[in-house]
């Protein structure tokens, strides 16, 4: 048998949770397999709470400039090009010392300089798309990368000519969420506590905060008295939301951030949420029924596309935002919540479209992007490089 060899990989991702969470999951898996990993992102990404910890044998983090091309502001494009080229030059310098076997992009403009530098240096590349619509940056590089990893069986805005390099892997989730797959759906008795989890993310939480308390208040009193709500709200909304629940006499725990999200998900009988990529991946991994309200301002309306698979399977009900009223929410809640067997069936259906091996399959794909550069026997670390300022 030959010596097991370690490789170096660069992961490049924009600074939002939708990009950073799967990148972090892949980094953890590649590290577990004995490889060295570096992250290229923006200031938000490298400081994302609880995802990328530096240290001996840990993840190198690098902040590179990346211009943002705003369609409605073409006057800023020359400056964005300059920043992008400056970021590419810095990435090429990093590759000179770190010598990656492959560079993997997760979307967002901060991923662009890393991929451009990889193309220039002829380093194998792949991109991972979390949404059911191929994102703008991934569309720009789709023709040049070696592989495109997708999270859904159908991905919109993906050119037919690129289908030969598409690999369906799913969207990686945290281990703590994946562990819920082996736990049964929480027991729901006809007169027992009914736990509702409400989460909308930083951009989309306000409408949930406005509608959900009043919608729950419209439920029959025998149902309403069983409710126990955990509601993630924006800081500017939280006092008003707390007052609404108090007025309706609905027990509710409110927070601007839920650090124990996997545990909250474990105990939830129903989730009311936006349809972001990470949310859908976690719902389908854990097997939790949901009422989904796609964010209409999401690029290319990708949240509506994200919700289709779980909704078609019977694991969720989707309400377009213009139709998301207290009356409609109460109607959908009663259809789901008054029949424990139907709710548990919806949980099973949500679970049926989960892809629990996403991180394993993505890591296998990344390892297959073979390159003779930077192979070190496992256990021997390469000299650590300082992060760019």
């Amino acid at each position: 048998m030959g010596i097991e060899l370690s490789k170096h990989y660069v992961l490049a991702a924009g600074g939002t949770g939708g990009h950073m969470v799967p990148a972090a999951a892949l980094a953890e898996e590649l590290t577990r397999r004995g490889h060295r990993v570096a992250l290229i992102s923006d200031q938000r990404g490298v400081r994302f709470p609880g995802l990328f910890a530096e240290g001996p044998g840990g993840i190198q983090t690098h902040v590179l400039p990346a211009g943002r091309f705003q369609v409605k502001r073409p006057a800023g494009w020359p400056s964005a090009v300059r920043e992008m080229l400056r970021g590419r030059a810095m990435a090429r310098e990093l590759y000179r010392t770190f010598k990656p076997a492959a560079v993997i992009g997760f979307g967002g403009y901060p991923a662009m300089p890393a991929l451009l530098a990889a193309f220039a240096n002829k380093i194998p590349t792949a991109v991972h798309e979390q949404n059911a619509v191929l994102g703008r940056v991934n569309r720009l590089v789709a023709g040049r990368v070696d592989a495109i990893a997708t999270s859904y069986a159908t991905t919109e805005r993906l050119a037919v000519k690129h289908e030969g390099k598409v690999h369906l892997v799913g969207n990686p989730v945290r281990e703590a969420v994946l562990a819920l797959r082996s736990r049964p759906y929480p027991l729901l008795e006809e007169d027992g506590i009914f736990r509702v989890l409400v989460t909308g993310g930083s951009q989309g939480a306000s409408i949930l905060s406005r509608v959900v308390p009043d919608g729950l208040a419209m439920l029959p009193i025998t149902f309403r008295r069983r409710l126990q709500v955990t509601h993630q709200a924006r800081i500017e909304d939280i006092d008003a939301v707390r007052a609404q629940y108090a007025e309706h006499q609905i027990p509710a725990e409110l927070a601007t951030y839920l650090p124990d999200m996997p545990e909250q998900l474990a105990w939830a009988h129903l989730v009311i949420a936006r349809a972001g990529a990470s949310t859908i991946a976690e719902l389908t991994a854990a097997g939790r029924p949901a009422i989904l309200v796609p964010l209409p301002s999401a690029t290319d309306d990708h949240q509506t596309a994200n919700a289709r698979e779980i909704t078609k399977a019977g694991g969720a009900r989707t309400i377009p935002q213009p139709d998301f009223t207290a009356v409609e929410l109460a109607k959908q809640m009663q259809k789901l919540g008054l029949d424990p067997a139907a709710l548990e069936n919806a949980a099973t259906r949500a679970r049926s479209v989960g892809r629990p091996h996403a991180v394993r399959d993505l890591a296998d794909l990344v390892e297959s992007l073979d390159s003779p550069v930077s192979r070190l026997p496992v256990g021997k670390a390469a000299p650590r490089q300082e992060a760019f300022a």
Side-chain angles (χ1 to χ4, degrees), residues 140-193:
L140 286 171
V141 300
R144 301 185 66 183
V145 296
D146 298 291
I148 301 170
T150 60
S151 301
Y152 294 86
T154 300
T155 303
E156 298 175 14
R157 303 295 296 271
L158 178 64
V160 175
K161 62 184 178 182
H162 300 322
E163 288 180 353
K165 51 183 167 183
V166 170
H167 303 261
L168 175 60
V169 300
N171 194 12
V173 299
R174 293 167 287 183
E175 278 295 328
V177 173
L178 201 56
L180 301 181
R181 202 168 175 83
S182 61
R183 291 170 59 170
Y185 180 73
L187 180 66
L188 180 61
E189 299 175 339
E190 288 192 9
D191 58 350
I193 293 175

Side-chain angles (χ1 to χ4, degrees), residues 95-315:
Y95 300 166
R96 188 181 65 80
T97 52
F98 189 70
K99 301 188 185 305
V103 176
I104 301 89
F106 285 84
Y109 281 106
M112 196 69 169
L115 291 167
L116 291 175
F119 299 151
N121 285 22
K122 295 182 169 42
I123 297 169
T125 53
V127 291
H128 178 267
E129 179 55 60
Q130 302 86 50
N131 293 298
V133 181
L134 199 66
R136 190 170 295 155
V137 167
N138 285 348
R139 289 202 299 271
L140 286 171
V141 300
R144 301 185 66 183
V145 296
D146 298 291
I148 301 170
T150 60
S151 301
Y152 294 86
T154 300
T155 303
E156 298 175 14
R157 303 295 296 271
L158 178 64
V160 175
K161 62 184 178 182
H162 300 322
E163 288 180 353
K165 51 183 167 183
V166 170
H167 303 261
L168 175 60
V169 300
N171 194 12
V173 299
R174 293 167 287 183
E175 278 295 328
V177 173
L178 201 56
L180 301 181
R181 202 168 175 83
S182 61
R183 291 170 59 170
Y185 180 73
L187 180 66
L188 180 61
E189 299 175 339
E190 288 192 9
D191 58 350
I193 293 175
F194 189 101
R195 298 182 183 88
V196 179
L197 174 62
V198 184
T199 175
S202 59
Q203 294 184 65
S206 284
I207 192 167
L208 301 185
S209 294
R210 290 196 302 273
V211 172
V212 172
D214 291 340
L216 298 185
M218 290 183 175
L219 295 171
I221 192 165
T222 52
F223 190 2
R224 191 167 72 243
R225 284 176 174 169
R226 298 167 53 206
L227 295 176
Q228 175 64 58
V229 181
T230 300
H231 190 132
Q232 175 259 324
R234 298 176 68 179
I235 192 167
E236 55 266 43
D237 299 331
I238 198 165
D239 290 338
V241 181
R242 185 177 285 113
Q244 281 181 282
Y245 281 118
E247 180 184 346
H248 299 316
Q249 298 182 319
I250 297 173
E253 176 187 351
L254 281 93
T256 57
Y257 176 66
L258 297 172
D260 58 341
M261 181 62 83
E263 196 59 25
Q264 295 288 354
L265 200 58
W267 289 104
H269 294 109
L270 178 69
V271 179
I272 302 173
R274 289 299 197 181
S278 292
T279 298
I280 300 294
E282 292 186 347
L283 290 171
T284 56
R288 290 296 179 270
I291 292 174
L292 300 172
V293 186
L295 179 69
S297 61
T299 307
D300 298 316
D301 196 22
H302 65 250
Q303 288 202 3
T304 297
N306 291 350
R308 285 183 188 134
E309 186 177 59
I310 184 175
T311 302
K312 185 177 179 181

